[in-house]
Amino acid sequence: MAFGYKKVLIIGATSGIGKTLADKVVQNGSKLIVAGRRKENLDEIVQRYGTDKVSAKAFDVMQLEQIPQFASEIISENPDLDCIFVNSGIQRPFDFSKPETVDLDIFDQELITNYTSAVRIAKAFLPHLQSQKTMTAIAFTTSQMALVPMMRCPNYGASKAALHHFILALRTQLQDGPGNVKVLEIYPPAVQTELHDAKHQPDLKDGHLIGMPLQEFVDEVWDRISEGEDQIPVGSARDIYNAFEVKRQELYRDMTELLSGLLKQFLR
């Protein structure tokens, strides 16, 4: 199979996974819109490939109240948009054994970036995706820590777990809804990106060297999306996924079926 989408939006494309995915989209021959906070990084992608292949829109997902307008502008300018990657994410360490060191403003910023903004983006773009005559897709980048938390970054794991649960429910809900929207989830292991850089996690030395090489990770993700997979755990995330997540999702489906039957007795 081949990557089947013609116009792709990547939110969180200024570095790391999003920026490298952008290369794959253009090399595949699909048109691309890149979005993120750092305009200069977006402009570099446009300059590299040309305005006939790539357009850019600077946007900060922390500005929750602006998400509907952002979506409206993207859709108006790109009515053939059929695939969205929701990729923005930050990771911060917190040590609650020393509560005086915990900055709750940063804690809230991480939760909004990793979870709340993704939910609002989905809500804003779903009517357009559902209205298309061909198959569309919305893909979310979560983490292996959506499945197993890490003590160092308790909020990161919690926010990605929240997004993972939302994705499972969203995929189920959209099965019977209008349109043909495919919901994808990408579960990275640790990957060599600026997520671990000293500017974000100053106690780490050479944090950008932690984990799987970025290009190797994106190459595998791209191949598996092109093969039609909608759940893509990579590297150590695949081991975790296979260890228990497959069974957990069977339980989720069983519970969904059971509760759906029970609710029919009470829903009007």
Side-chain angles (χ1 to χ4, degrees):
M1 295 178 65
F3 183 79
Y5 305 100
K6 304 303 181 185
K7 177 69 74 70
V8 179
L9 167 65
I10 300 179
I11 301 171
T14 57
S15 66
I17 292 170
K19 186 175 182 180
T20 308
L21 271 173
D23 293 330
K24 286 289 188 180
V25 170
V26 178
Q27 292 162 9
N28 174 74
S30 302
K31 296 295 180 66
L32 174 66
I33 311 123
V34 287
R37 288 185 300 107
R38 290 171 288 184
K39 184 178 183 298
E40 65 278 10
N41 293 28
L42 302 176
D43 290 343
E44 188 273 327
I45 299 172
V46 175
Q47 291 167 8
R48 185 160 71 248
Y49 292 111
T51 55
D52 58 324
K53 297 179 180 179
V54 182
S55 62
K57 185 173 288 291
F59 183 70
D60 183 355
V61 299
M62 282 289 295
Q63 305 303 314
L64 297 178
E65 71 284 354
Q66 295 180 18
I67 287 175
Q69 181 63 30
F70 167 72
S72 178
E73 291 174 2
I74 291 288
I75 292 165
S76 176
E77 295 165 6
N78 304 275
D80 54 342
L81 175 69
D82 59 358
C83 180
I84 300 168
F85 284 89
V86 183
N87 182 68
S88 300
I90 59 175
Q91 184 183 103
R92 303 290 186 263
F94 296 99
D95 185 353
F96 279 83
S97 73
K98 301 173 183 176
E100 69 279 3
T101 69
V102 174
D103 186 328
L104 289 178
D105 289 337
I106 295 175
F107 188 95
D108 289 344
Q109 182 184 68
E110 184 177 44
L111 181 63
I112 290 169
T113 301
N114 294 353
Y115 176 63
T116 310
S117 69
V119 173
R120 294 197 179 207
I121 287 167
K123 181 181 185 298
F125 281 98
L126 275 171
H128 169 76
L129 296 178
Q130 289 175 306
S131 71
Q132 301 306 294
K133 295 180 180 179
T134 59
M135 186 173 72
T136 59
I138 182 165
F140 300 88
T141 303
T142 60
S143 170
Q144 69 180 12
M145 283 194 276
L147 307 178
V148 175
M150 182 171 71
M151 181 185 69
R152 171 184 169 83
C153 301
N155 192 42
Y156 184 82
S159 63
K160 292 296 187 177
L163 183 56
H164 171 59
H165 282 223
F166 172 77
I167 292 166
L168 290 178
L170 178 65
R171 185 182 293 118
T172 306
Q173 291 177 357
L174 291 181
Q175 287 173 358
D176 297 323
N180 185 11
V181 185
K182 189 168 187 177
V183 179
L184 287 72
E185 182 172 3
I186 301 164
Y187 307 78
V191 178
Q192 293 174 5
T193 71
E194 66 176 40
L195 192 74
H196 313 115
D197 271 359
K199 65 180 178 179
H200 303 307
Q201 301 191 52
D203 58 327
L204 293 179
K205 180 181 178 181
D206 296 326
H208 64 284
L209 299 178
I210 294 173
M212 185 176 187
L214 175 59
Q215 190 64 57
E216 180 184 339
F217 168 78
V218 171
D219 286 346
E220 179 173 341
V221 167
W222 186 262
D223 288 346
R224 291 171 62 186
I225 290 176
S226 299
E227 290 167 1
E229 294 187 41
D230 59 9
Q231 299 202 62
I232 305 168
V234 178
S236 56
R238 187 189 295 220
D239 296 333
I240 295 169
Y241 183 92
N242 290 335
F244 68 86
E245 181 62 19
V246 173
K247 178 61 178 177
R248 195 169 76 112
Q249 290 192 28
E250 289 177 3
L251 295 171
Y252 161 71
R253 287 189 291 270
D254 291 344
M255 180 177 291
T256 299
E257 184 177 348
L258 174 63
L259 291 177
S260 295
L262 290 173
L263 284 172
K264 287 179 181 178
Q265 303 174 44
F266 300 98
L267 292 175
R268 296 182 179 181

